[in-house]
Amino acid sequence: ELPPSHFPAARAAAVAVGYLRYLRGGPGRGLQLREVRRARRQDIEDVGHKYYLELELEDVLDKDRTVNCTAEVLYPLGSKTSAPDVQVTVQGELRDTEEADKEFYNRIRSLEKELVAENIPDSHGNVPPELEPIHLLAGVASGYVIWQNSTENTKLHLAQVKHVKQVKRSDEDLQFDYVLLLHEMVSQ
Amino acid sequence: DQVLHIVPETFQQVQHLQLLCSTLMLDLWKPLLPEDIRAREDLHIRVPAPLVQGVKDSLDQHLISYRYNLVLIPDVQKLVDQSMPRDRSSHRQVSGGYVYTEYHPMEEIYQWMTQIQKNNSELVTQHFLGKTFENRTMYYLQISQPSNKPKKIIWMDCGIHAREWISPAFCQWFVKEILQNYKTDPKISRFLQNLDLYVLPVLNIDGYIYSWEEDRLWRKSRSPYENGTCHGTDLNRNFNSSWGSVGVSFNCSSDVFCGSGPESEPETKAVAQFIRSKKSDILCYLTIHSYGQLILTPYGSTTKPPSNNEELMQVANEAAAALTGKYGTNYRVGSTALILYSNSGSSRDWAHTIGIPLSYTFELRDTGAHGFVLPPNQIQPTCEETM
């Protein structure tokens, strides 16, 4: 059993949340960690260290509601190049974002020129409301990168979207290329 | 929520408390695990609001006495007001309209210091500390109530790392709060009767300016190395405490480059020289950073605890409890080597090794959601709780 507020649990939680953002996040949904409720670690011989977590999350667009989930994060032994093995189960239903997603899609499709933006949030921490969905999509992308690049000793966070540009496509899909700044929460 | 402070008297009480903590899975702040609960040793437990009454009833039944700090439910109206643009007039008394709930560039901070001294000359003097690499002047503010008895000193510096904007914002807020309330708040007035406050609002001025003009996430100073192809020393790796031994890089392009030697940087030298000269009078050294919500004690370079570790931890735990009491923000307390990871050359470690008993690093909000780019609507609650 691990103290839930301590860094070993927090590092595993960051991986689980990154993975969850990658799976379930979108322009209308940004999940972030509120608290680690419970954490356990199991050392599996010749395999690696497995963390069992009970997490309390919230959607940044719906902060009054609590999203509970359980997660398992297995860091493979010795491997610096293999991503942790993660499973997350969300309890209950997540808020439906179909309308918001459709609205975002139509808004971007109706732009005359491809979208370009930088420094989200700006130096003062502000995100203009019309760029919030782009910011949340960055959370999805960074969630994947964080999951893929985390080890038991790292805690990665999205620091800022340096640059984003929409890529013109011939089909009806939307594509954005991001340059993201990640911070490894180490020491100060 | 409430934080209960209990000192169990008998082994039976210890057993009951261990059972209570494990069954209810209470948030143990001190010690960390139920099995470490001891008779006649402090126990701090944070109890969520819905469980408070039940826990207290159980303690009463077993004749276990407790003190408690309230973890207040934030006042909703206050939160609404905080996110609205501030009414500038509420700050006018202290320094003519300065807005403490915004981030300010260095030019404005220089002007603010001048104004603060001018408007509060009976208490505040601005002093020259040294020069930065790019030849900018470093000033600290001395808040000192005239008195015929000698006073001990509390030193606080902010902005050693350029991108941690909430840190200089806190130093400015701190000064404002003291000056606005010292006549009416009995705690502050007693404080100033016995202690002098020395505040350095921005230590790494060159880096701070660079983070405003060029790169928001810059961390180090701006001194050039390798023929000007690379810039900046991590000033918090540059102090003479096990310098260069662990958690550093000797490569200038690293964010934790420790410089060419201990105190190689003018900013470090300026601070170190001053603190050395006053060290027998300095009671407490504080250095403010972000982010992480931590109160860090020495050391970073070794897990061997400092000689006065008990006292350091006790004071820090009480500070963390008081901080949480304001808005429920959780801070963790402990030594850098144990909580984060090893690093050498930090200002906090150095201050302790030269004999300053209470030496702390504060890592302010948050825990990663915004990180270094903390939105301005969090300046007020962060500063209020840290105060």
Side-chain angles (χ1 to χ4, degrees), chain A residues 4-61:
Chain A
S5 60
H6 290 203
F7 269 42
R11 283 191 275 256
V15 175
V17 174
Y19 177 75
L20 185 64
R21 287 210 313 253
Y22 161 62
L23 284 188
R24 306 295 303 272
R29 180 184 297 136
L31 293 165
Q32 68 186 17
L33 181 69
R34 223 192 250 160
E35 210 176 312
V36 180
R37 289 236 141 257
R38 193 173 166 205
R40 283 182 302 130
R41 194 187 91 184
Q42 182 190 17
D43 294 345
I44 308 174
E45 207 171 316
D46 296 330
V47 177
H49 295 160
K50 189 166 185 185
Y51 289 73
Y52 296 83
L53 306 166
E54 283 172 29
L55 305 175
E56 195 180 295
L57 309 171
E58 65 189 14
D59 185 340
V60 299
L61 298 177

Side-chain angles (χ1 to χ4, degrees), chain A residues 5 122-124 183 187-188, chain B residues 164 216 236 291 332 363 376:
Chain A
S5 60
D122 68 15
S123 288
H124 294 250
H183 173 240
S187 67
Q188 306 293 334
Chain B
E164 299 164 17
R216 176 63 176 82
N236 205 35
Y291 57 95
R332 280 205 58 218
E363 299 274 2

